Amino acid sequence: MTDTVARALDAVPLRVTDPEKIPAERYYDPQFFELERKHLWPRVWQMACRLEEIPEVGDYVEYSILDKSVIVVRGKGGVRAFHNACSHRGVRLANGPGNCAKKGFVCPFHGWRFNAEGECTFVFGKHIFSEAMLNAAETDLVPVRCEEWAGCAFINFDNEAPPLLDCLGPIVTRLNARHVDRLKMDWWFGTLLPTNWKLAMEAFQEGYHVMRTHPQLEALSPPGFSRLGPDADAPPPAETITPRDLVNLNIDFLKSVGDGMAGMVHHTEVAVLEKLRDMDVPDDPQAAIMAFYARAQEEVTKDGLARGAPMFDIAKVNAENEFHDVEFMFPHFFLLPSLAAMSSYRIRPLTAETCFFEIWSLVLRPEGEVYETPSEPTILPYDSRDFPEIPQQDYSNLPIQQLGLHNFKHMRLSHEWEGLISNYHRLVDGFLAGLDRETLRKAENTVNSGYNSPIRDIGF
Ligand code: FES
């Protein structure tokens, strides 16, 4: 690390100085939240919408992040993004999703109009303005950078930022192999959580919590296969477990994940797995599990192809790429692969101690299948029983963790299993310190990884 970088980082209040310790005030201090607002969010690529929200020319959505609002719109030449402010006197033009193909965006104040390309198409009473006020540079909407990947539009307010894929890094290759751009929404939920946005993300960045937070999953983990050992009050493991029992436990586990997430392992995949309970299994337990997963991947692939879904060869892709159940993309987007289906999360800050959490269930849907694409998330209270069981369990911890942090100095992280939390916090510090673009890009490539990642050297 150069002296200049070290000095810039030292100037960041509440910065992470020991990678295994995260200062608690980072989760509630209003000044720290303000620094993030000023120096982080205006400089990062943000998943702004799924492209299936805007399938037709003229379809648009509003993406908001703190005090900023952006229109993401499908124009004739592709998907574009614009600051959501009328060029006359700044009135917000879009509120939520819609279609502007017929009339464009019509400002409710004095009636100026704009098309899907951001061009100003009508000024009421033109003759009362001086010419200099009415050239296109003055009247067209102000563009925001917009790039596409994984079936989503991403925006960035920073014209100097490297391209999206350069920032995302190697994660792109392994998710592209899973046909991530072909995934379609099954459902979309949102909730307001009484926690800092970072805290909400961290509940999904490590698997260490599964034992206590998701006991139904832990109960289906084959004995002797966890590196962490049993819970303090767990019953003693069964004396003997046969290779067939192990296969059935794994099917039960995947079904429980599918039920608990209402997706991730999609019900069409669970139906395929159920047929494998009678498969021939080798006598060796480890070989039995490997044989089960090989067959499960093969059968789910075949089933998807037979139904006309844009499948990939799951076994081949898993053999050729790193696999992680949870993939994190800085600063606030997640994809959670399993077999072919995925879940996805996006977490946005609202205030220092509240955030908006969205979950999607995504599936490789057969071509031509009729379904209703949600145009907005179904908003539920965070403690609603209508959430699938697993998010319900995760959400239940977060408000009490936020409260606990006010009586607490710093988190102590497992360097082996909770490293992603440390890695991304130190990248936040890099943004707050104003480090150069290339240093931040390289760090982002390292930070973007699966859950249970170790603490890594991110270059500063
Ligand atoms: Fe939009 Fe005046 S503020 S037309």
Side-chain angles (χ1 to χ4, degrees):
M1 193 190 313
T2 66
D3 286 352
T4 317
V5 168
R7 271 198 302 277
L9 285 168
D10 279 346
V12 175
L14 301 172
R15 72 169 282 228
V16 177
T17 51
D18 177 341
E20 293 177 63
K21 292 179 177 173
I22 308 297
E25 287 170 81
R26 292 170 69 94
Y27 299 93
Y28 59 83
D29 181 76
Q31 276 84 36
F32 192 80
F33 186 75
E34 178 60 13
L35 287 178
E36 291 174 341
R37 188 187 69 75
K38 264 191 174 152
H39 302 296
L40 173 70
W41 293 105
R43 299 180 70 203
V44 286
W45 285 103
Q46 303 174 43
M47 194 288 247
C49 73
R50 294 196 55 77
L51 294 173
E52 56 191 314
E53 293 173 60
I54 47 171
E56 308 293 338
V57 169
D59 286 346
Y60 65 86
V61 296
E62 179 196 3
Y63 172 73
S64 56
I65 179 76
L66 297 167
D67 57 341
K68 296 208 183 313
S69 172
V70 176
I71 300 170
V72 183
V73 56
R74 187 176 292 277
K76 290 197 181 87
V79 176
R80 307 273 311 270
F82 302 98
H83 287 276
N84 187 7
C86 172
S87 54
H88 176 215
R89 279 167 56 193
V91 166
R92 193 165 275 193
L93 293 168
N95 290 290
N99 183 286
C100 67
K102 276 201 182 130
K103 288 192 169 173
F105 298 100
V106 183
C107 181
F109 199 176
H110 312 93
W112 287 26
R113 292 182 185 223
F114 307 86
N115 63 19
E117 322 304 321
E119 295 157 343
C120 181
T121 55
F122 177 74
V123 172
F124 178 53
K126 258 185 181 177
H127 57 282
I128 65 171
F129 289 87
S130 62
E131 245 176 62
M133 286 297 103
L134 293 185
N135 66 44
E138 289 286 336
T139 59
D140 289 353
L141 296 180
V142 178
V144 175
R145 285 179 75 188
C146 182
E147 295 184 18
E148 295 173 25
W149 176 68
C152 302
F154 289 72
I155 60 101
N156 195 326
F157 297 106
D158 185 353
N159 291 331
E160 305 303 316
L164 170 67
L165 297 192
D166 290 356
C167 291
L168 288 169
I171 206 167
V172 168
T173 305
R174 58 180 186 261
L175 286 169
N176 280 349
R178 309 188 80 83
H179 292 188
V180 72
D181 59 329
R182 312 290 296 278
L183 288 162
K184 300 291 180 200
M185 277 189 253
D186 223 14
W187 50 256
W188 179 12
F189 284 146
T191 195
L192 193 154
L193 280 168
T195 70
N196 180 270
W197 68 280
K198 300 188 293 301
L199 204 65
M201 297 210 306
E202 291 163 19
F204 303 89
Q205 291 182 330
E206 45 83 7
Y208 181 55
H209 70 284
V210 170
M211 179 273 288
R212 180 54 64 170
T213 301
H214 309 299
Q216 78 282 11
L217 298 182
E218 184 69 8
L220 296 171
S221 301
F225 280 77
S226 167
R227 284 178 50 216
L228 299 180
D231 183 16
D233 51 11
E239 292 271 305
T240 54
I241 183 156
T242 66
R244 180 161 306 284
D245 291 339
L246 278 175
V247 166
N248 281 321
L249 259 183
N250 276 278
I251 294 172
D252 292 342
F253 179 85
L254 290 165
K255 179 177 184 321
S256 184
V257 170
D259 292 345
M261 291 293 290
M264 194 164 159
V265 184
H266 195 253
H267 63 83
T268 53
E269 297 173 337
V270 172
V272 173
L273 300 177
E274 285 291 356
K275 292 183 195 150
L276 301 182
R277 290 192 187 272
D278 297 327
M279 68 177 268
D280 290 334
V281 286
D283 291 337
D284 176 64
Q286 198 70 48
I289 291 182
M290 288 176 66
F292 162 69
Y293 275 102
R295 183 80 188 280
Q297 291 167 3
E298 185 190 333
E299 294 298 331
V300 170
T301 304
K302 278 202 306 207
D303 175 72
L305 289 171
R307 288 184 298 108
M311 289 296 291
F312 56 97
D313 182 335
I314 303 173
K316 183 167 181 284
V317 165
N318 286 357
E320 291 173 356
N321 297 274
E322 270 180 53
F323 176 80
H324 304 281
D325 312 273
V326 179
E327 295 274 21
F328 170 65
M329 284 138 279
F330 186 81
H332 70 344
F333 185 50
F334 291 79
L335 285 165
L336 292 77
S338 181
L339 287 159
M342 295 193 197
S343 296
S344 179
Y345 304 144
R346 175 174 66 181
I347 298 95
R348 280 179 280 175
L350 297 175
T351 66
E353 298 197 62
T354 59
C355 66
F356 187 60
F357 196 114
E358 288 158 281
I359 311 182
W360 290 263
S361 175
L362 306 173
V363 63
L364 291 174
R365 197 179 291 286
E367 303 293 349
E369 187 176 273
V370 177
Y371 68 101
E372 204 165 314
T373 302
S375 57
E376 290 186 276
T378 302
I379 311 279
L380 299 172
Y382 70 85
D383 53 359
S384 166
R385 292 284 165 202
D386 290 335
F387 270 117
E389 182 182 29
I390 290 174
Q392 255 185 64
Q393 292 170 325
D394 288 308
Y395 292 164
S396 69
N397 290 328
L398 290 167
I400 51 176
Q401 188 182 15
Q402 184 72 32
L403 293 173
L405 288 173
H406 285 267
N407 311 295
F408 188 67
K409 202 164 162 208
H410 56 74
M411 296 198 185
R412 35 189 66 73
L413 302 177
S414 155
H415 66 90
E416 228 179 294
W417 279 51
E418 297 177 307
L420 178 51
I421 297 172
S422 168
N423 300 339
Y424 97 83
H425 268 273
R426 288 177 288 128
L427 179 52
V428 168
D429 286 347
F431 275 91
L432 302 194
L435 300 190
D436 70 90
R437 278 277 157 221
E438 185 55 10
T439 301
L440 292 170
R441 186 195 64 77
K442 283 187 188 156
E444 199 171 332
N445 283 198
T446 305
V447 167
N448 287 344
S449 61
Y451 86 160
N452 290 345
S453 294
I455 289 178
R456 293 200 164 113
D457 178 358
I458 64 164
F460 52 85

